[in-house]
Amino acid sequence: MRLMMLGAPGAGKGTQAERLSKLLNIPTISTGNILRAAVKEETPVGLKAKKYMDSGALVPDEVIIGVILERLAAPDCDRGCILDGVPRTLQQALALEEAGVKFDAVVSLEISDEAILERMALRRVCEDCGASYHLTAVPPKQEGVCDSCGGRLIQRADDSPETVAKRLEIYYRETEPLKDFYARRGLLRRIETAATVEGTTEAILKIIRY
């Protein structure tokens, strides 16, 4: 099964993608994690992407698509995968479609802007592996320490209220039109986020008929 997670920044795409990855036994492809790793390692792509990521702006399409197509060609994607955070624009969606990338379903997580701002204020990520936590909803077992790799948990610069507001503005302008794009192809599945992470996962599994 090949799924794509769609939703505003802070809607819970990464958290749900990781949960579904374990349940469906297929890998999650997170553009954000791939790019953040490149930034940390100061690769040419990472240095190019850093100025966009720090300001909350979109990374250029040619960088995103190249990284994704390379990752999709890996053997562990043969049984399927979950794309988290890409495509973000109609141009990216068309580029993936032209490259022969097809989805079984596009899951759109629906949530209010107010809830997103509250979530982002409490979000922490591992500076080593990129794992995401929420101080109340999905807290780490040990304060400030990643459960997966033991790395230090930090608040990303692009999770500040000012940057989140800018990211939401970009989302509504650049990414939300993807809902119509995939709805016309019969792939869109809208999910109202539940009160709990587990509740949202159950709703997703039900709607994709797993």
Side-chain angles (χ1 to χ4, degrees):
M1 177 175 285
R2 185 174 282 176
L3 302 174
M4 193 265 279
M5 306 300 295
L6 182 63
K13 299 184 298 296
T15 297
Q16 292 302 325
E18 289 299 330
R19 290 177 60 81
L20 293 169
S21 173
K22 294 175 182 178
L23 291 168
L24 302 176
N25 195 29
I26 53 177
T28 294
I29 299 176
S30 170
T31 310
N33 287 348
I34 293 173
L35 289 173
R36 279 190 287 274
V39 168
K40 184 177 180 180
E41 295 166 11
E42 297 187 339
T43 66
V45 171
L47 293 173
K48 185 177 180 180
K50 187 176 187 300
K51 62 180 180 179
Y52 297 95
M53 296 170 66
D54 285 349
S55 66
L58 295 177
V59 177
D61 287 353
E62 64 269 19
V63 177
I64 297 293
I65 298 302
V67 167
I68 291 301
L69 293 179
E70 184 177 70
R71 180 65 183 89
L72 288 173
D76 65 338
C77 291
D78 288 346
R79 294 184 60 254
C81 63
I82 303 169
L83 263 65
D84 167 24
V86 69
R88 288 185 175 178
T89 65
L90 287 173
Q91 291 78 11
Q92 290 179 4
L94 287 168
L96 289 176
E97 194 169 75
E98 290 169 2
V101 178
K102 297 180 180 179
F103 300 103
D104 294 295
V106 174
V107 177
S108 176
L109 298 178
E110 308 292 333
I111 184 173
S112 70
D113 289 358
E114 292 76 15
I116 285 174
L117 288 167
E118 182 180 348
R119 278 189 182 185
M120 299 294 249
L122 297 175
R123 182 163 76 169
R124 300 293 182 270
V125 296
C126 175
E127 63 179 354
D128 292 332
C129 74
S132 181
Y133 298 86
H134 186 279
L135 295 184
T136 57
V138 189
K141 295 177 182 177
Q142 181 180 345
E143 184 178 352
V145 179
C146 177
D147 295 348
S148 301
C149 73
R152 185 169 68 100
L153 299 184
I154 60 171
Q155 183 174 32
R156 286 174 14 199
D158 57 356
D159 281 348
S160 68
E162 297 79 13
T163 305
V164 170
K166 182 175 181 180
R167 292 171 68 195
L168 285 171
E169 179 183 344
I170 293 172
Y171 168 78
Y172 288 121
R173 184 176 68 247
E174 302 285 348
T175 306
E176 194 170 44
L178 289 175
K179 292 181 182 180
D180 288 339
F181 179 85
Y182 287 113
R184 289 195 298 270
R185 285 153 176 75
L187 298 173
L188 190 69
R189 308 288 185 269
R190 295 178 183 266
I191 301 289
E192 294 290 339
T193 53
T196 64
V197 171
E198 294 80 7
T200 301
T201 304
E202 290 175 7
I204 294 172
L205 292 173
K206 182 177 180 180
I207 206 166
I208 63 174
R209 298 180 174 85
Y210 174 70

